[in-house]
Amino acid sequence: MSWSKQQIKLKSTEQVDKMQASAEILASVFLEVRNLVRPGVTTKALDESIEAMIRDANCIPSFKGYHGFPAAACISIDEEVVHGIPGDRVLVEGSIVGIDIGLIKDNWHADSAETLPVGEIGPAAAKLLTVTEECLQRAIASIEVGRRLSVIGIAVEDHARANGYSVVETLVGHGIGLNLHEDPQVPNFRCFTMPDPVMEEGLVIAIEPMINEGTKRVVTARDQWTVITADKGLSAHFEHTVAVTSAGPRVLTRRESGIAALPETRQPAD
Ligand code: MG
Ligand code: MG
């Protein structure tokens, strides 16, 4: 895509308020999902619960049918990065499970993800979750009207690398609004091949760092959806829908951290 072909659809405050309404429902779905993630549950059962919650709130799952995706949630376990298809796989103690959900209310999309521990997890997995959520927080903190979008990728990459991790580069964040995926693309790394617009009031983006324990390289599974680390190392993913305002970033899908209770397992990187 050439720089001039970018079509960023800035939102009015009234439109951001509508997106906030979608996002708040999504945040409440995540609070419920956290209670459902435990050993013995299948990813299909989780997805069915998620879809029921979305429809009970008179919303539509964004992902179901999107390019043929068969479920309401993408559920990705351990070395699965994103786009895992819910099925008969059973969650086991010690795994980490990435849950990515989008929904539509009154035509406005919200998109968010978090990676959760299944029961007790080891220190390596706990550190990966903590650092990945911090990458998202640092990305959000870097947002300011007048700055270039690339500050987001720099914030994510620097924090991931300082902790010995790599950043997935083949998948990126995105603008969001009346469409699930809008311009601009939002890379989680220093990227010199995508447009780097100046952030303006009314820009609404889904920021979604995907952080790997080992190599940044990923492959797509035989199901044509699930993205997996090439070295089968662990991967984590956190995502918020965020509006850029002159008063600072407005995190539309904001909620308490789902992993704050994890034991402190790491030394601060800086
Ligand atoms: Mg998502
Ligand atoms: Mg997204």
Side-chain angles (χ1 to χ4, degrees), residues 8 12 17 37-38 45 109 118 131 145 156 186 216 222 247 251 263:
I8 296 175
S12 67
D17 287 343
V37 169
R38 57 177 180 269
H109 288 262
V118 182
V131 171
V145 167
V156 172
V186 184
K216 69 182 180 185
R222 237 171 268 138
V251 184

Side-chain angles (χ1 to χ4, degrees), residues 164-180:
Y165 297 140
S166 67
V167 179
V168 174
E169 297 182 357
T170 55
L171 296 146
V172 298
H174 49 93
I176 181 169
L178 292 171
N179 302 289
L180 176 62

Side-chain angles (χ1 to χ4, degrees), residues 82-218:
V82 286
H83 301 170
I85 300 175
D88 296 330
R89 189 166 170 187
V90 175
L91 298 184
V92 298
E93 180 100 14
S95 278
I96 57 173
V97 59
I99 299 176
D100 190 351
I101 309 171
L103 64 75
I104 309 165
K105 175 184 163 59
D106 298 333
N107 299 316
W108 293 97
H109 288 262
D111 187 5
S112 188
E114 57 187 55
T115 304
L116 295 165
V118 182
E120 295 289 318
I121 61 173
K127 178 184 168 185
L128 179 67
L129 297 194
T130 301
V131 171
T132 305
E133 187 170 60
E134 288 170 352
C135 284
L136 175 57
Q137 291 162 350
R138 285 173 181 238
I140 292 167
S142 75
I143 289 174
E144 197 179 311
V145 167
R147 281 187 173 173
R148 292 211 177 260
L149 193 70
S150 52
V151 296
I152 290 170
I154 292 168
V156 172
E157 181 181 324
D158 284 352
H159 192 57
R161 290 171 77 116
N163 284 280
Y165 297 140
S166 67
V167 179
V168 174
E169 297 182 357
T170 55
L171 296 146
V172 298
H174 49 93
I176 181 169
L178 292 171
N179 302 289
L180 176 62
H181 293 130
E182 299 183 356
D183 285 340
Q185 296 192 79
V186 184
N188 298 301
F189 57 99
R190 286 176 174 78
C191 177
F192 304 102
T193 56
M194 288 181 198
D196 188 15
V198 171
M199 291 186 275
E200 292 179 57
E201 170 114 34
L203 175 68
V204 184
I205 49 178
I207 306 173
E208 50 179 316
M210 289 151 256
I211 306 299
N212 294 351
E213 241 184 352
T215 180
K216 69 182 180 185
R217 289 195 309 115
V218 297

